[in-house]
Amino acid sequence: MWQQEFIWFFTLFQQEFRKNNPIAFEVLMVLALAHLFGFYNPKQLADFLDIPHQRFYTELKEWSVYHVKRMLLRFMVKQAAEQLKPVLSKSAATRSRAGMTLSIDNSVMDRFGKLLRCTWNWYSGRYHKVIRGQDLLGIVFTINHIAFPLHLLFCPKQGRYHTNKADLLIFMLTQLKDDFDREGIDITQLPLTMDSAFVSQELRQRLHQLGFTQIIIAGKGNYVFTIHGKKQGALAWKKALILQAPTWGIDVPSRRIWGQSPTFGSLILFFFRKSTTRSYYLMNFSQEALRGAEIWHIWRQHHVIECFWKIMKSIFHMRSMQLQGDGLYTALLIKVFAYVLALRVQAQGVFSTLTITQIMRTLRRETDLRAFLATHFHAPFSIT
């Protein structure tokens, strides 16, 4: 089983990056695998194996930031393409049940080191205030309630100008569109979901120009809408509108209604209540009017990207690997490799009923890491 999964990584590497050092790639894989055994940075693994940690860092410095970013993107796209192709060939009903979406969100990791790239003052939804850290913008492909990362990009902050996340998002989606075209997949047929942190009418038009037709946005409380001739803020509308009882395809009280926005023009609004006290609303930026059940079915997948961020932070300890300078993306690549490897192992029959945390506990209890590395990896990077 393990040999099959390692072959997938190394075969893809040989096909896509023939001019690079396979031994250095082995180091990336060894460090990624070590995450499943509870070693989250090179120093921890080196101490466990009783070898100089400089051996790992020397190999990691072999990679240019261009090749690291390219590897990160290609492995993510290849993994997602394997999941997409079988489903896209099925009926429309089967594709709908799979719950395929592209979810866009950003997450802030608190950092204090001054020599780490992309460290700045960002607003954190977790802390509900501005903190110093790194802001990671992510696009995640969801299918069958599983998150497959497609593109991850640290938001830079240089000089006195604001970081334009809308431009970064268009750049990322354009790259993904081109890469999936090479796989024979039109990624624009999947719906987009995102919050309204950097949404504008200009971004809506640029997304339509890229070819995306279904776009659902979480609305802000300070947006103003005119509904039935009355103009007031979204917070007031959430209190004023009477929501209908759950119906077919919508398992929460909701209300689909047309509204007029000074910024976005005429659009469909979807108000819903997730609990007894909190109400929310969505904006339909799609090129066509969607039914309430369609809007809710698309948006229900958005929480999966929050689950992805939690897994990366709490299970794979994204903050624990702090490589200076261009090593920022090298550390991210290793963390993503660990996540993808865990998903591929989870797909195997013996682990299919276990969560990622349960898989890690099982491996630590039943597998000797030293013997495992000696069996599956090149001798210089095993303990022999």
Side-chain angles (χ1 to χ4, degrees), residues 70-93:
R70 195 61 200 161
M71 273 196 290
L72 186 64
L73 185 60
R74 286 301 299 149
F75 276 88
M76 289 190 291
V77 168
K78 199 70 175 181
Q79 171 77 359
E82 288 187 0
Q83 303 294 323
L84 264 172
K85 287 181 179 179
V87 180
L88 290 177
S89 62
K90 302 294 179 61
S91 65

Side-chain angles (χ1 to χ4, degrees), residues 2 32 35-38 40 145-149 307-308 310-312 314-317 335-347 351-364:
W2 285 99
H35 282 66
L36 303 185
F37 292 85
Y40 303 108
H145 305 290
I146 300 176
F148 293 91
C307 298
F308 168 74
K310 289 180 181 178
I311 290 173
M312 295 297 288
S314 62
I315 297 180
F316 292 111
H317 296 244
K335 300 293 182 181
V336 171
F337 275 2
Y339 179 81
V340 172
L341 180 60
L343 290 183
R344 297 187 67 85
V345 171
Q346 192 178 38
F351 293 117
S352 59
T353 60
L354 303 180
T355 65
I356 292 178
T357 301
Q358 290 172 332
I359 290 173
M360 294 169 66
R361 289 174 180 171
T362 302
L363 292 176
R364 295 174 198 177

Side-chain angles (χ1 to χ4, degrees), residues 1 26 30 37-38 40 77 85 104 109 151 162 190 277 280 288 305 310-311 327 347 376:
M1 177 196 69
E26 277 202 27
V30 166
F37 292 85
Y40 303 108
V77 168
K85 287 181 179 179
I104 300 163
M109 295 178 293
H151 208 321
H162 294 293
L190 300 181
T277 57
Y280 305 86
E288 57 185 12
I305 192 172
K310 289 180 181 178
I311 290 173
H376 293 283

Side-chain angles (χ1 to χ4, degrees), residues 12-213:
L12 180 57
F13 173 75
Q14 294 291 346
Q15 292 173 347
E16 301 282 345
F17 306 96
R18 296 172 184 165
K19 295 182 179 180
N20 283 284
N21 186 351
I23 300 300
F25 184 74
E26 277 202 27
V27 173
L28 295 177
M29 288 304 303
V30 166
L31 292 173
L33 173 70
H35 282 66
L36 303 185
F37 292 85
F39 303 103
Y40 303 108
N41 61 55
K43 185 66 165 58
Q44 290 178 346
L45 180 60
D47 290 344
F48 172 76
L49 297 177
D50 196 22
I51 61 176
H53 64 272
Q54 290 85 355
R55 296 176 64 182
F56 288 124
Y57 290 111
T58 299
E59 296 295 338
L60 293 179
K61 291 180 180 178
E62 291 291 320
W63 303 104
S64 69
V65 66
Y66 167 79
H67 282 109
V68 168
K69 287 185 176 181
R70 195 61 200 161
M71 273 196 290
L72 186 64
L73 185 60
R74 286 301 299 149
F75 276 88
M76 289 190 291
V77 168
K78 199 70 175 181
Q79 171 77 359
E82 288 187 0
Q83 303 294 323
L84 264 172
K85 287 181 179 179
V87 180
L88 290 177
S89 62
K90 302 294 179 61
S91 65
T94 301
R95 295 198 299 269
S96 177
R97 284 193 296 269
M100 298 183 296
T101 63
L102 297 181
S103 298
I104 300 163
D105 193 19
N106 62 301
S107 183
V108 176
M109 295 178 293
D110 49 315
R111 299 280 203 181
F112 300 100
K114 296 183 178 180
L115 298 180
L116 298 175
R117 290 185 60 191
C118 302
T119 302
W120 199 256
N121 295 325
W122 307 96
Y123 178 79
S124 171
R126 175 185 177 187
Y127 295 101
H128 300 289
K129 64 179 182 180
V130 175
I131 65 171
R132 186 169 181 81
Q134 294 164 334
D135 192 14
L136 185 58
L137 181 61
I139 302 176
V140 168
F141 163 60
T142 67
I143 182 171
N144 296 321
H145 305 290
I146 300 176
F148 293 91
L150 292 186
H151 208 321
L152 299 169
L153 192 65
F154 285 100
C155 299
K157 184 65 178 73
Q158 299 176 350
R160 60 185 178 179
Y161 299 103
H162 294 293
T163 297
N164 192 330
K165 292 185 180 180
D167 288 343
L168 292 179
L169 176 60
I170 293 298
F171 167 75
M172 295 165 71
L173 289 172
T174 302
Q175 273 194 319
L176 285 177
K177 187 173 182 292
D178 294 340
D179 276 15
F180 275 100
D181 283 344
R182 298 188 188 97
E183 299 289 339
I185 298 174
D186 179 14
I187 199 70
T188 62
Q189 61 186 300
L190 300 181
L192 293 177
T193 65
M194 68 183 82
D195 61 27
S196 55
F198 48 93
V199 173
S200 64
Q201 180 67 6
E202 179 187 3
L203 177 61
R204 179 185 186 181
Q205 295 172 352
R206 294 172 73 181
L207 291 174
H208 289 171
Q209 291 171 359
L210 272 180
F212 292 97
T213 59

